[in-house]
Amino acid sequence: MKEAIVEVQNLKKFFPLVGGVFRKVVGKVHAVDNVSFKIYRGETLGVVGESGCGKTTLGRTILRLLEPSGGRIYFDGQDITDLEGNDLRKIRRGMQIVFQDPMASLDPRITIKNSVGEPLVVNNIARGPRMRAMVLDLLQKVGLTEDHLNRFPHEFSGGQRQRICIARALALNPKFVVMDEPTSSTDVSVQAQTLNLMKDLQDEFGLTYMFISHDLSVVKHMSDRIAVMYLGQIVELTPHDIFRNPLHPYTFALVSAVPVPDPRFAGRAEILKGEVPSAINPPTGCRFHPRCPFAEEKCRLEEPELRDIGDGHLVACHFAGELDFGRSAQQDYAHAAQAEA
């Protein structure tokens, strides 16, 4: 039986909106709303969805970089929801994050040696020559050299800066790492190097990843399971290839919008109509129903439960498994490629 290293139960994160002369709270943004799932030790859970759906907020709330508005967070079997002070700092050594923008997450005024070595100093692990040796070892693991130790962040390329951020995240030998779109600011060749590096490091250190990305192809390559988020909630979570078997209408729309490198299957995307509803006042019932071509009255009135429809495939749709989406270009392309092989 698989062991969960991270578990969240009914997790919520709301951001208050203030207004008026007296700056009173007049509303709240439902960034993450009633989310529950597990991440198993040694796996990579991919998280996808449109911008603003709550992916990054979910990751930061799990790490307690943002305080949850409700629900529980468990890490390595311990409830960390209400931990504070030294107790929280001890737990944080086991979970780290690689931010989306490496330049913004590195201090431009200090060298790479001090930036990567700062966690070692703060946690009283190493200083001086020993800290330098440990930093050099980390940099060499991510493909950098001793010549890079005393350089500043602006002297590196985007891909090199991301490698530095990965080295810093590994400094405290964590068990769990949130990767927040780690390849979004790099070109394709550097993306491939970074992804392969992450896989190698996962095997070497036994890491567990939560991999956040917009790129479904990258998520498919990296992930053991994939969670699809929409407007602060998980609508589908599957260990299967979502390109072949998407069961939520929103997941199907995402998959069918991915470009296919074959003119025979071009122009066959399921284009969603309308805009994403406001997270300040989300729709009743299923949050996707205003844009769903299959929505019925039940969808407008009742919020669907994220339920297992078999083999660990969870879907939050009243009619999961009953809808006929047709076939997407991605599915046609996959079948054609398999037949030609």
Side-chain angles (χ1 to χ4, degrees):
M1 184 177 180
K2 294 181 179 179
E3 179 187 2
I5 190 170
V6 174
E7 181 179 358
V8 296
Q9 297 177 355
N10 307 113
L11 187 64
K12 299 178 181 179
K13 178 58 185 176
F14 302 151
F15 294 99
L17 295 175
V18 296
V21 177
F22 299 103
R23 307 297 293 169
K24 292 183 178 180
V25 176
V26 296
K28 54 188 175 183
V29 178
H30 297 70
V32 176
D33 197 354
N34 204 32
V35 169
S36 300
F37 64 90
K38 296 179 181 180
I39 303 178
Y40 298 108
R41 194 178 300 276
E43 78 164 349
T44 298
L45 176 70
V47 182
V48 300
E50 293 172 284
S51 295
C53 71
K55 304 184 300 296
T56 296
T57 301
L58 176 61
R60 295 188 181 193
T61 305
I62 290 173
L63 299 182
R64 290 286 310 279
L65 296 177
L66 297 172
E67 290 301 314
S69 303
R72 312 305 298 176
I73 306 167
Y74 297 88
F75 175 70
D76 212 11
Q78 181 178 355
D79 188 345
I80 67 168
T81 316
D82 301 315
L83 289 183
E84 295 180 353
N86 289 331
D87 292 334
L88 181 58
R89 278 191 286 272
K90 290 177 183 178
I91 287 295
R92 278 191 171 145
R93 292 178 59 169
M95 49 186 188
Q96 297 292 317
I97 184 170
V98 176
F99 293 99
Q100 179 176 353
D101 185 351
M103 191 61 185
S105 60
L106 293 171
D107 190 332
R109 301 166 298 177
I110 64 176
T111 64
I112 297 309
K113 180 189 74 174
N114 292 328
S115 187
V116 176
E118 187 174 17
L120 301 173
V121 174
V122 170
N123 288 277
N124 297 316
I125 295 174
R127 296 177 185 271
R130 184 162 180 263
M131 183 269 280
R132 183 186 186 278
M134 293 180 70
V135 169
L136 178 58
D137 182 59
L138 286 166
L139 291 181
Q140 289 173 339
K141 278 181 167 53
V142 298
L144 300 175
T145 68
E146 188 173 5
D147 294 336
H148 297 118
L149 279 172
N150 294 313
R151 296 185 188 179
F152 291 88
H154 70 273
E155 300 179 80
F156 294 89
S157 68
Q160 287 175 319
R161 284 195 289 265
Q162 197 61 282
R163 287 170 177 259
I164 292 165
C165 291
I166 292 173
R168 184 176 60 181
L170 297 178
L172 298 178
N173 194 24
K175 302 174 183 177
F176 172 62
V177 182
V178 174
M179 295 287 185
D180 188 5
E181 303 194 38
T183 59
S184 63
S185 60
T186 57
D187 58 40
V188 175
S189 61
V190 176
Q191 282 184 19
Q193 295 172 6
T194 304
L195 294 174
N196 289 333
L197 170 65
M198 289 170 55
K199 277 186 166 290
D200 291 341
L201 293 173
Q202 184 175 32
D203 293 337
E204 181 177 352
F205 293 97
L207 298 172
T208 303
Y209 290 146
M210 177 176 171
F211 188 88
I212 300 169
S213 180
H214 289 285
D215 192 330
L216 290 180
S217 299
V218 169
V219 170
K220 176 185 175 184
H221 173 71
M222 287 293 298
S223 304
D224 298 293
R225 293 186 300 148
I226 298 175
V228 182
M229 287 193 71
Y230 183 79
L231 208 60
Q233 296 183 333
I234 291 179
V235 297
E236 187 163 358
L237 199 162
T238 175
H240 306 296
D241 184 355
I242 62 171
F243 287 100
R244 290 184 177 273
N245 189 34
L247 294 182
H248 194 282
Y250 177 64
T251 307
F252 177 77
L254 286 182
V255 168
S256 65
V258 175
V260 174
D262 192 322
R264 292 176 296 169
F265 307 107
R268 299 176 62 181
E270 175 68 30
I271 304 300
L272 289 177
K273 298 179 181 179
E275 298 293 330
V276 179
S278 171
I280 301 172
N281 186 26
T284 58
C286 176
R287 296 192 174 183
F288 186 60
H289 85 256
R291 305 174 71 192
C292 180
F294 305 98
E296 297 185 8
E297 188 65 20
K298 183 178 182 179
C299 304
R300 300 177 178 88
L301 299 176
E302 299 179 22
E303 182 174 329
E305 177 186 358
L306 186 66
R307 56 192 174 94
D308 191 338
I309 62 168
D311 201 19
H313 195 151
L314 280 63
V315 187
C317 177
H318 293 301
F319 308 106
E322 303 174 15
L323 303 175
D324 182 12
F325 301 134
R327 290 166 65 90
S328 69
Q330 277 284 356
Q331 290 170 307
D332 286 339
Y333 177 72
H335 283 284
Q338 187 177 26
E340 291 173 1

